[in-house]
Amino acid sequence: MTDVIDELHRRGLIAQTTDEEALRAHLAAGPVTYYCGFDPTAPSLHVGHLVQFMVLRALQRAGHRPIVLVGGATGLIGDPRPSAERQLNDRATVAGWVDSIRRQVAPFLDLPAEREGLAAPVYVDNLTWTEPLSAIDFLRDLGKHFRVGRMLAKEAVSARLNSEAGISYTEFSYQILQANDFHELHRRHGCTLQSGGSDQWGNLTAGIDLVRRTEGATVHALSTQLVTKSDGTKFGKSEGGSVWLDPALTSPYAFFQFWLNADDADARTWLPLFSERPAEEVSAVLAESAERPASRAAQRALAEELTLLVHGPEELRQAEAAGRALFGRDDLTSLGPETLGAALREAGSVTLDGETPSVAQLLQRTGLASSLSDARRTVKEGGAYLNNERVTDADAVPQEAEWLPGGWLVLRRGKRAVAGVQRAG
């Protein structure tokens, strides 16, 4: 067994542990079964969840067995937020999200197990053991082990108690349900370690205490740092909203561009967290990024590695090709219509209904030019491109043969400003 705790520390993935020396000894003693839970509060996970998968994968590579819990029960309740009560989703919606997230997370842990003979993951839904609980069982068998004072001390709970919104018993009881998950996984699968975000620390320790009280066993927990952006905005957000792992919600191209467009300081902070390259390679990329920021070495490493991990080699190839093609460094016709469309929608696009305007009018309509006179001046100065071909006539109307697969035109002003035009229907 490798000392995976050292690796997690090196990468900045550990915020807290219950007893680090005891945990090291426990991991070194033999294969450990460990788990992390994900509540289905949307049809997809987002990039913020990748931190937990980095921990799951590191422990799996060190020879331990992962359990991935998708919370069909806790997803119906919702972990308390500091500001307001969560909206409760209906059972059918949550069940559908459980299925979609289960399918989404499988490639993160299944493929390494098949390739390298590592411990295969176990997938569970906490609705399996939570739904049969009666109210009496919940209160007698679980509730008696929890002290209200400790439950009130949880940060999200105390914040809500001091707010106008208050907190319902439904959300207040969430920590009991999560603690019971650890208890059930310990009983059913011999699970002895739980990981989660640092904002989950109160729930993690509640589970440890419940296992100790009910089973007389010692189990462990570790939490990860919450990832932030240097400008104070929330990690995992772009102009279009959350950056999802589901390609139907965030295209592989947009996913690739999220990492590629990261601020230099953010990229250097995030690279050790998310990269599974050897330490010396990460150090080399960080050094290059610091010495030559224009190379965007850290951003490119993140974009390539995480797009490959989440979406696979073909989608990575298409995302990279789309970036080159949009800016004139590759053939636009080499892109599939879905990749081209995703890239242009991300860059900004307009839809035409009716006759096709002139190039000058299209430059204005897409916002690449502020006015028709600005558009004409851009063409005259040689700065306007249609499908990567320089435009010489501002009044030219794109011909049928110039429309790309999916009904797209690619307009570009200079080297960096790109927009798409799509035909309606």
Side-chain angles (χ1 to χ4, degrees):
M1 297 292 166
T2 60
D3 194 337
V4 67
I5 296 296
D6 284 343
E7 178 190 346
L8 295 176
H9 271 307
R10 173 185 64 78
R11 294 173 60 186
L13 286 168
I14 293 183
Q16 289 175 284
T17 62
T18 40
D19 182 335
E20 185 168 310
E21 290 310 310
L23 178 57
R24 283 179 187 272
H26 182 57
L27 292 169
V32 165
T33 298
Y34 62 99
Y35 98 95
C36 184
F38 302 89
D39 276 349
T41 55
S44 170
L45 301 179
H46 53 74
V47 294
H49 292 106
L50 286 175
V51 177
Q52 298 310 318
F53 284 105
M54 295 299 108
V55 175
L56 287 168
R57 286 164 61 86
L59 287 164
Q60 186 187 36
R61 286 195 305 272
H64 307 293
R65 182 174 67 145
I67 297 176
V68 176
L69 182 150
V70 183
T74 43
L76 289 167
I77 302 300
D79 195 15
R81 294 182 298 184
S83 55
E85 194 86 3
R86 287 184 182 272
Q87 179 180 347
L88 297 182
N89 296 295
D90 63 74
R91 287 175 174 265
T93 298
V94 172
W97 290 349
V98 168
D99 290 340
S100 64
I101 290 172
R102 162 66 181 84
R103 291 191 301 271
Q104 185 178 79
V105 303
F108 291 110
L109 299 166
D110 284 351
L111 291 180
E114 293 169 3
R115 280 202 309 266
E116 304 169 26
L118 303 181
V122 176
Y123 297 96
V124 296
D125 178 350
N126 59 15
L127 194 64
T128 303
W129 54 79
T130 307
E131 191 168 41
L133 274 177
S134 70
I136 295 296
D137 292 337
F138 177 80
L139 293 172
R140 282 178 58 89
D141 298 339
L142 296 177
K144 69 178 181 180
H145 296 295
F146 289 82
R147 297 297 173 261
V148 172
R150 293 189 65 179
M151 295 176 72
L152 291 172
K154 186 183 175 187
E155 186 176 347
V157 172
S158 60
R160 286 279 293 281
L161 285 172
N162 295 322
S163 71
E164 292 184 5
I167 186 170
S168 69
Y169 179 74
T170 301
E171 286 196 354
F172 182 64
S173 66
Y174 179 94
Q175 55 191 292
I176 301 179
L177 296 182
Q178 184 170 330
N180 190 46
D181 291 342
F182 203 172
H183 167 242
E184 288 290 339
L185 291 176
H186 177 74
R187 190 172 63 83
R188 294 165 185 248
H189 299 282
C191 181
T192 54
L193 171 63
Q194 181 182 182
S195 65
S198 59
D199 59 336
Q200 291 287 306
W201 188 246
N203 294 337
L204 271 61
T205 55
I208 290 171
D209 191 53
L210 181 61
V211 173
R212 180 182 61 79
R213 288 173 179 271
T214 56
E215 307 294 327
T218 298
V219 292
H220 305 269
L222 69 84
S223 69
T224 58
Q225 299 282 1
L226 292 183
V227 184
T228 58
K229 280 185 164 183
S230 57
D231 63 2
T233 58
K234 190 172 183 180
F235 170 73
K237 295 284 187 179
S238 68
E239 291 183 5
S242 294
V243 181
W244 302 101
L245 304 188
D246 187 334
L249 298 176
T250 297
S251 71
Y253 174 81
F255 183 88
F256 184 90
Q257 290 294 316
F258 168 76
W259 301 104
L260 194 62
N261 293 327
D263 178 81
D264 287 336
D266 287 333
R268 291 170 200 152
T269 299
W270 299 344
L271 185 64
L273 295 174
F274 294 110
S275 177
E276 295 177 337
R277 303 177 186 212
E280 58 272 16
E281 287 188 24
V282 172
S283 296
V285 173
L286 291 175
E288 181 183 355
S289 177
E291 293 166 8
R292 296 192 302 114
S295 71
R296 302 190 75 74
Q299 289 92 330
R300 187 159 296 280
L302 282 166
E304 291 173 355
E305 194 166 346
L306 291 173
T307 305
L308 177 64
L309 175 65
V310 175
H311 296 297
E314 178 57 25
E315 293 295 353
L316 170 59
R317 188 192 69 77
Q318 287 275 313
E320 290 179 310
R324 292 192 301 268
L326 289 190
F327 298 105
R329 298 189 302 275
D330 211 340
D331 184 7
L332 285 164
T333 60
S334 67
L335 302 179
E338 289 186 3
T339 300
L340 178 62
L344 290 173
R345 280 187 284 271
E346 182 72 10
S349 64
V350 297
T351 302
L352 295 182
D353 190 5
E355 293 186 2
T356 304
S358 68
V359 172
Q361 291 169 317
L362 289 173
L363 286 168
Q364 181 187 24
R365 192 173 298 186
T366 57
L368 293 177
S370 58
S371 63
L372 279 177
S373 60
D374 182 35
R376 292 180 186 281
R377 184 167 55 253
T378 301
V379 172
K380 184 178 179 180
E381 293 172 352
Y385 297 82
L386 175 65
N387 296 345
N388 289 336
E389 297 291 333
R390 182 175 275 114
V391 176
T392 57
D393 181 1
D395 295 319
V397 175
Q399 300 301 299
E400 185 63 30
E402 293 177 290
W403 289 91
L404 297 167
W408 287 98
L409 297 171
V410 179
L411 286 172
R412 177 160 52 89
R413 179 173 182 170
K415 294 182 178 180
R416 301 296 300 172
V418 173
V421 177
Q422 187 177 33
R423 285 196 289 202

